[in-house]
Amino acid sequence: MGQLAVVDFVSLDGVMQSVLSADEDRDGGFAQGGWVLPYVDPMVERFMSDATTGAGALLLGRRTYEIFAATWPYADRSDPAVAAMNAMPKYVASRTLGSDGLSWANSTLLGADLPTEVRRIKAASARETVVLGSGGLLASLIGHDLVDEYRLLVLPLLLGSGKRLFPEGGLPLGLRLTGTQATPSGVLITTYRRPEGR
């Protein structure tokens, strides 16, 4: 049975909104988009490439899917991460997107019962399914205790406001630290696993 792994950038104060570009997500008047780019060093690039090429599938929310679908199919396919992203299955959780809106190859729209759908994906695969970005989807996955591992790239900056990776009102859960490394730009890459048997 495969596992579900979250791989996400987060500020030191827990913000995960609009990491790569100013126009990615301006909800709530968020005006600090693109805050990750100054911290992307070769170690961060290698980590993200390994996370992508090692995945068996992607699970994405609608907004993240649409951003990726507008970019990755046209990127340099000689890059192993690009080739992996384009070839692997993509599962999309959305209440508003129809299957006719899935333009990226190997994409499947999930049904309304997200917990059942995610458990089915995990049971059918020996490899891991990775979630990138997808803040709204993550809140549901965390709320249903479906995440097996968190790989967080914590950036050394405070944003003060924005969408949080772990919103208030979530389930209390102790995690086990299984890895940590600091990059030259000050990013702390941490890996946490959920307790076995849960």
Side-chain angles (χ1 to χ4, degrees), residues 14-130:
V15 175
M16 64 168 297
Q17 186 174 1
S18 198
V19 298
L20 295 178
S21 75
D23 295 323
E24 193 175 321
D25 180 1
R26 291 187 179 269
D27 286 356
F30 190 75
Q32 300 182 72
W35 49 273
V36 165
L37 295 178
Y39 297 92
V40 176
D41 58 37
M43 197 169 170
V44 169
E45 288 179 343
R46 187 168 51 254
F47 180 85
M48 292 304 295
S49 179
D50 290 348
T52 303
T53 56
L58 291 177
L59 173 58
L60 304 169
R62 178 195 56 82
R63 184 175 296 189
T64 301
Y65 175 81
E66 289 178 337
I67 291 169
F68 283 11
T71 305
W72 287 99
Y74 313 103
D76 180 2
R77 291 175 181 253
S78 66
D79 182 320
V82 172
M85 291 272 275
N86 286 319
M88 73 177 64
K90 274 81 68 177
Y91 300 103
V92 186
S94 173
R95 292 184 295 272
T96 58
L97 189 64
S99 58
D100 57 340
L102 301 180
S103 60
W104 196 6
N106 306 313
S107 297
T108 302
L109 184 65
L110 297 181
D113 187 348
L114 181 66
T116 298
E117 293 277 32
V118 172
R119 289 185 189 104
R120 178 186 57 80
I121 292 167
K122 290 168 67 172
S125 176
R127 300 180 67 192
E128 73 179 15
T129 299
V130 169

Side-chain angles (χ1 to χ4, degrees), residues 161-174:
S161 64
K163 294 178 184 175
R164 308 284 172 176
L165 176 61
F166 299 105
E168 288 188 35
L171 297 172
L173 175 65

